[in-house]
Amino acid sequence: MTENKEKEVWVVWQNTDLTEGRGHEVPILVCETKSTALRMAKKQGVQGSDASVTSFKATHINGHWCAPVVIVKATKADQAAEQSRIQFESVLEKAKALGLSPEELQIIARPKP
């Protein structure tokens, strides 16, 4: 059984719009100590101000420490491309199941001239 460990870490947050602060806050650093985070936050905020620092519980899972990240939301174009990719991979798996060779699969996957 895997035991999940937690520890307190310090997150430096920066606004995506450093000119006017009209963007959103994203984590730019995760530090072991508050002193490190405060040092690293100097002049990293809007118009050269200090960035904000908050504490966070990091969790140790499968050999990695997990802390906050920004997950970029998919655009409508990204969502359409993802659906096309999923459909393509599904058809490719069906072709493999029918016994097509890697060479034949490359021919099928090649863009039309």
Side-chain angles (χ1 to χ4, degrees):
M1 181 174 183
T2 304
E3 182 182 323
N4 287 344
K5 297 185 285 184
E6 286 187 342
K7 71 176 177 179
E8 184 176 39
V9 294
W10 297 89
V11 181
V12 178
W13 298 88
Q14 186 178 63
N15 197 289
T16 55
D17 175 11
L18 293 176
T19 305
E20 296 179 352
R22 293 184 183 204
H24 57 279
E25 296 287 309
V26 295
I28 59 167
L29 294 167
V30 178
C31 304
E32 285 187 315
T33 68
K34 187 173 184 179
S35 293
T36 302
L38 291 171
R39 177 176 56 82
M40 299 301 289
K42 293 283 185 202
K43 299 184 180 186
Q44 296 300 312
V46 176
Q47 295 185 356
S49 64
D50 292 349
S52 60
V53 173
T54 61
S55 67
F56 191 87
K57 291 284 184 206
T59 305
H60 195 257
I61 302 172
N62 295 329
H64 300 281
W65 283 103
C66 301
V69 297
V70 173
I71 298 175
V72 178
K73 291 186 179 189
T75 64
K76 288 183 181 182
D78 292 337
Q79 291 170 348
E82 182 68 2
Q83 287 302 313
S84 293
R85 185 192 63 76
I86 290 169
Q87 289 173 347
F88 176 79
E89 287 181 2
S90 174
V91 170
L92 198 57
E93 287 302 313
K94 287 179 185 177
K96 285 179 185 177
L98 292 172
L100 272 66
S101 70
E103 294 80 18
E104 291 168 324
L105 291 172
Q106 285 181 345
I107 292 169
I108 292 171
R110 195 176 304 143
K112 302 287 184 235

